Amino acid sequence: MKKALITGITGQDGSYLAKLLLDKGYEVHGMIRRTSLYVRQRIDELTMDPKLKDKTLFLHYGDMTDGSNISRLIEKIMPDEIYNLAAQSHVGISFQVPEYSAQVDAIGPLRLLDAIRELCPKAKFLQASTSELFGDVLETPQKETTPFNPQSPYAAAKLYAYWIVKNYRDAYGLFAINSICFNHESPRRGENFVTRKISMAAANIMAKKQEKLSLGNLSAMRDWGNAEEYVEAMWLMLQQKKPVDLVIATGEQHSVEEFCSLAFARAGMVLTFKGKGLNRKGYDRNGVIRVDVNKKYFRPTEVQTLLGDPSKAKRILGWKATTTFKELVYAMVDNDIRCMNA
């Protein structure tokens, strides 16, 4: 039985990956941070569902800022595969906590890699990287050879992680790779991310529990995919004979405004957008403002457009995104409406 260690197992990606690996017969170990609040809702089905009682899942307390703890866990588990999904993953918040973002997102992967080098060098390691590396893009679409141009503390920290993975691969012969994932969403997305803010607002406004939604850059374009499909790509990457960094994306992009329009339409509200810049607003059929722009949600440096080229992943992994943008938006809104009515 293969053993896998997942950091960030309680997050969106970690919970989907844990289920995938358990279904494939893995012994799964997850690293979780100790907090005063219960943060394991996304993996409740794995730990509480009687149908999954025979699954082999172990949870361990740990933190990406604690190198000695990381080493002890790796020495204890001796995993065959390690997926580093732990991160301070909110781009906007990284401007407020840049040092912490660097400790977790940059030095954290280094701590893992060094422990692997010393304790289990045959383990395969995947670093969950990000399209934010490309930042103010120098080429469209972005592929594995596109120059990086990060525009946030989060992206800069992830860039260090990207290069340290490559360095440990080249210097020590580790099977260590980067999955350069473009935006990927799901009903499990955190509530402080723009996509989930939109889907929740659509449900709340439909239920008359909220008047309107305020957002930042409505014209920002992103390549949005399904998180459940993206973790499968991560798994496939670690099943290859040779380590290779890959872009994981859909190859399509849509604006934040398009996301809003689809989400609100799913909740029964057709929006019409008028105005420009900070004065742009989305009105319902009765002329009521349901979406507006607030400059406090703009970042000090904005990334306007990201569009991935997944052709190499398709060629090497046989992987292709299959969930459409509309299906993704609808699934998120439908889930939030169900939660509203539960």
Side-chain angles (χ1 to χ4, degrees):
M1 178 184 289
K2 279 187 177 182
K3 291 191 286 186
L5 171 62
I6 304 172
T7 68
I9 193 171
T10 58
Q12 170 188 255
D13 294 2
S15 62
Y16 284 124
L17 178 62
K19 177 67 164 55
L20 176 73
L21 296 182
L22 288 170
D23 287 345
K24 291 182 179 296
Y26 279 65
E27 177 181 302
V28 176
H29 295 259
M31 191 176 83
I32 58 173
R33 286 184 300 143
R34 173 70 178 92
T35 66
S36 59
L37 299 175
Y38 187 79
V39 294
R40 304 184 195 179
Q41 293 89 344
R42 295 186 183 97
I43 58 171
D44 276 348
E45 66 166 334
L46 305 179
T47 58
M48 298 180 181
D49 189 340
K51 297 177 183 178
L52 302 172
K53 65 180 180 180
D54 295 327
K55 301 295 186 181
T56 313
L57 173 65
F58 302 94
L59 301 178
H60 310 267
Y61 286 117
D63 195 288
M64 294 300 291
T65 63
D66 187 343
S68 60
N69 172 263
I70 288 172
S71 294
R72 285 195 301 272
L73 277 181
I74 289 178
E75 186 173 27
K76 176 182 179 181
I77 300 166
M78 294 300 287
D80 300 290
E81 297 174 4
I82 299 170
Y83 298 83
N84 182 34
L85 309 185
Q88 190 302 100
S89 57
H90 196 286
V91 176
I93 291 174
S94 75
F95 286 97
Q96 301 175 44
V97 289
E99 183 178 340
Y100 176 74
S101 298
Q103 281 292 331
V104 174
D105 298 353
I107 307 304
L110 172 62
R111 296 182 180 107
L112 276 168
L113 286 163
D114 216 45
I116 294 167
R117 177 180 67 86
E118 292 184 354
L119 300 169
C120 57
K122 293 190 180 299
K124 292 184 174 182
F125 174 80
L126 179 137
Q127 166 67 15
S129 194
T130 172
S131 58
E132 290 288 333
L133 297 182
F134 300 114
D136 187 8
V137 297
L138 302 175
E139 176 184 45
T140 298
Q142 295 86 55
K143 50 184 180 289
E144 290 80 5
T145 55
T146 300
F148 299 130
N149 190 18
Q151 297 295 302
S152 67
Y154 166 76
K158 283 286 193 175
L159 182 58
Y160 175 88
Y162 174 92
W163 285 115
I164 204 64
V165 166
K166 185 179 185 303
N167 178 253
Y168 269 63
R169 181 170 71 219
D170 296 342
Y172 304 114
L174 299 183
F175 192 112
I177 57 175
N178 294 282
S179 61
I180 309 173
C181 295
F182 280 64
N183 292 64
H184 47 289
E185 317 297 324
S186 76
R188 298 182 184 178
R189 192 49 142 158
E191 295 179 7
N192 60 345
F193 288 84
V194 65
T195 51
R196 189 71 193 288
K197 286 174 68 175
I198 294 169
S199 65
M200 289 179 65
N204 283 333
I205 293 172
M206 183 188 75
K208 302 186 185 308
K209 294 184 177 181
Q210 183 175 336
E211 288 296 320
K212 68 175 182 177
L213 170 67
S214 294
L215 295 171
N217 186 4
L218 292 178
S219 64
M221 303 286 289
R222 292 293 185 269
D223 183 329
W224 274 303
N226 182 349
E228 199 165 3
E229 294 177 356
Y230 280 43
V231 300
E232 183 179 12
M234 295 178 194
W235 175 76
L236 286 169
M237 289 178 70
L238 285 195
Q239 310 317 304
Q240 305 307 302
K241 292 183 178 179
K242 296 181 179 179
V244 60
D245 303 324
L246 293 174
V247 162
I248 307 300
T250 70
E252 297 181 7
Q253 67 176 180
H254 301 271
S255 69
V256 174
E257 186 172 303
E258 287 180 78
F259 201 108
C260 284
S261 294
L262 275 177
F264 277 73
R266 186 62 169 177
M269 292 169 283
V270 176
L271 297 184
T272 301
F273 283 87
K274 299 178 182 179
K276 295 182 180 180
L278 292 174
N279 294 317
R280 192 152 181 83
K281 295 176 175 62
Y283 300 84
D284 68 14
R285 287 192 179 97
N286 298 317
V288 178
I289 297 171
R290 296 304 187 184
V291 177
D292 66 8
V293 176
N294 191 320
K295 64 180 180 181
K296 77 175 183 179
Y297 294 117
F298 281 77
R299 299 165 185 166
T301 47
E302 284 286 330
V303 173
Q304 184 60 31
T305 181
L306 291 171
L307 173 63
D309 177 358
S311 57
K312 190 173 181 179
K314 182 179 180 181
R315 185 173 73 252
I316 292 176
L317 306 179
W319 178 90
K320 180 182 178 181
T322 59
T323 303
T324 67
F325 178 64
K326 179 184 287 188
E327 289 169 343
L328 178 64
V329 176
Y330 282 8
M332 293 180 69
V333 175
D334 290 349
N335 176 76
D336 284 324
I337 291 174
R338 281 194 300 271
C339 291
M340 186 71 59
N341 296 327

